[in-house]
Amino acid sequence: KPAANKEETKEELKLAANFKLQDIYKNEYTLSSYKDKQPVLLFFFTTWCPFCRKELSKLNDRYLELARYGFELFAINVGEPIEKVDKFAKSYSLAFKILLDKDTSVAQAYEILGVPTYVLIDKKGRIVYTGNTFPEREYKELIPK
């Protein structure tokens, strides 16, 4: 079967599940409020995961670049208490928003099997990448020319 052209594959992209989560400062964020405005990178993590710590440090280094290109970055902690996550975020001086998925419902909606997991969502609210490493190629494709 010949490979579909780029437009056809774009139509098959799954829509990202909407969510409303609080950050460690009790501010609420809703994914749908970013639709048609900017791409969003979700990063699912836990404080006890050594690979997550490494990736969070890398994300901290890249955060300004992401913001400059118009991306929103949400690091979503899966199922840990706010006090623990808050202390962790401060100890790593994380510059981006840390959201709390207290009951793990968002991780379940995104079918997260392990952490760290990145989910890149385009401006139209479609998932263009899910994986355990930074979506370098997919991210660059979403940068406005």
Side-chain angles (χ1 to χ4, degrees):
K1 186 178 153 189
N5 70 39
K6 242 183 158 38
E7 284 315 300
E8 282 176 39
T9 47
K10 280 236 186 330
E11 291 314 305
E12 292 163 22
L13 295 173
K14 199 171 145 196
L15 277 178
N18 190 30
F19 60 78
K20 184 191 284 183
L21 290 175
Q22 286 189 339
D23 69 5
I24 52 179
Y25 306 108
K26 304 249 196 296
N27 300 310
E28 268 193 359
Y29 293 92
T30 308
L31 182 65
S32 59
S33 62
Y34 293 86
K35 196 171 180 227
D36 298 323
K37 293 189 184 97
Q38 64 192 116
V40 177
L41 179 61
L42 305 179
F43 178 73
F44 290 87
F45 78 100
T46 58
T47 59
W48 48 262
C49 155
F51 299 110
C52 296
R53 291 185 188 146
K54 219 176 278 179
E55 291 299 316
L56 284 163
S57 291
K58 284 188 211 165
L59 278 174
N60 228 11
D61 295 341
R62 295 194 79 158
Y63 179 60
L64 288 174
E65 173 194 333
L66 283 160
R68 190 172 57 236
Y69 288 127
F71 286 76
E72 181 58 89
L73 169 61
F74 291 127
I76 300 179
N77 177 270
V78 183
E80 292 182 281
I82 185 168
E83 302 76 25
K84 187 175 193 171
V85 180
D86 185 37
K87 199 171 139 196
F88 175 85
K90 288 185 171 101
S91 72
Y92 278 83
S93 304
L94 299 176
F96 39 84
K97 295 172 184 78
I98 310 290
L99 305 185
L100 302 162
D101 183 14
K102 292 180 193 146
D103 63 1
T104 72
S105 60
V106 177
Q108 287 170 23
Y110 282 85
E111 297 170 4
I112 304 301
L113 299 174
V115 288
T117 297
Y118 287 93
V119 178
L120 183 59
I121 301 164
D122 70 10
K123 247 167 105 162
K124 298 225 183 307
R126 298 173 306 201
I127 297 173
V128 294
Y129 173 90
T130 301
N132 304 106
T133 55
F134 187 85
E136 201 63 55
R137 187 176 53 83
E138 295 82 357
Y139 154 70
K140 288 199 167 119
E141 285 173 8
L142 292 184
I143 294 173
K145 304 286 179 265

